[in-house]
Amino acid sequence: MSKLIKYPEFSPLPPSTDAADVIENIRNWIEQKREDKLKLYCRPDSSKTGYRFVQEEDFLETKEEIQTILRRKVRIVFTRYAEVKSRAWYPLHFTTRMITVQIHHGGRVHNYKNDNQLRLFLKEDRKRIKAL
């Protein structure tokens, strides 16, 4: 985690469940009218049941913020990648795999790795502006 960047709150991932990624669970939830389970763990599609289990792409989330870092206003793009562990007959489990950070400043983009590289990026940008 960075001491310079304030990370945003992302929408919560569904809680892990003892349900497995099998079509029988979807059918059971439909028959029992378990809309809460369908909403958390399934997405509508064109299959026979009308639903499919969630996939990692369903939880991809991007947020943009303007922050001041080292007295410079920068635009930061945060992207959350989730991991969905789901195999037939194993419980569904959801975790955040990684959060990528891109800093946009002065027409350039920096892919955040650590605070030292971010400081160098902003310092180089200042030198470049002075040279102009």
Side-chain angles (χ1 to χ4, degrees):
M1 292 299 273
S2 171
K3 292 183 180 180
L4 299 175
I5 298 172
K6 296 175 200 94
Y7 284 79
E9 288 290 321
F10 289 97
S11 60
L13 294 170
S16 297
T17 178
D18 57 355
D21 183 357
V22 292
I23 197 73
E24 288 83 7
N25 282 332
I26 294 176
R27 286 188 189 123
N28 187 26
W29 292 337
I30 291 171
E31 289 169 6
Q32 294 180 0
K33 297 186 181 3
R34 294 294 311 263
E35 292 296 324
D36 57 327
K37 294 282 190 183
L38 290 171
K39 185 177 178 183
L40 280 175
Y41 305 113
C42 299
R43 298 294 180 264
D45 78 346
S46 59
S47 66
K48 284 183 187 179
T49 60
Y51 290 95
R52 64 164 172 78
F53 274 96
V54 292
Q55 299 167 350
E56 293 175 352
E57 302 83 43
D58 296 324
F59 301 113
L60 179 70
E61 190 173 345
T62 301
K63 293 193 175 214
E64 281 190 37
E65 291 187 358
I66 302 293
Q67 293 184 15
T68 301
I69 300 175
L70 301 174
R71 294 178 292 180
R72 291 168 189 80
K73 279 203 181 279
V74 296
R75 182 171 64 96
I76 305 176
V77 179
F78 299 91
T79 306
R80 190 244 341 245
Y81 298 88
E83 182 174 24
V84 177
K85 292 184 183 176
S86 65
R87 297 185 309 254
W89 309 113
Y90 286 93
L92 286 166
H93 181 71
F94 307 90
T95 56
T96 296
R97 184 175 65 209
M98 72 174 151
I99 297 173
T100 60
V101 180
Q102 286 187 329
I103 292 92
H104 298 257
H105 181 68
R108 297 179 6 182
V109 178
H110 172 73
N111 292 317
Y112 177 82
K113 292 187 179 101
N114 59 46
D115 284 349
N116 289 335
Q117 287 187 356
L118 177 56
R119 280 187 181 97
L120 289 173
F121 169 74
L122 293 173
K123 191 182 278 187
E124 286 173 11
D125 193 55
R126 195 162 113 204
K127 287 179 185 177
R128 187 175 58 87
I129 290 171
K130 281 184 180 180
L132 297 175

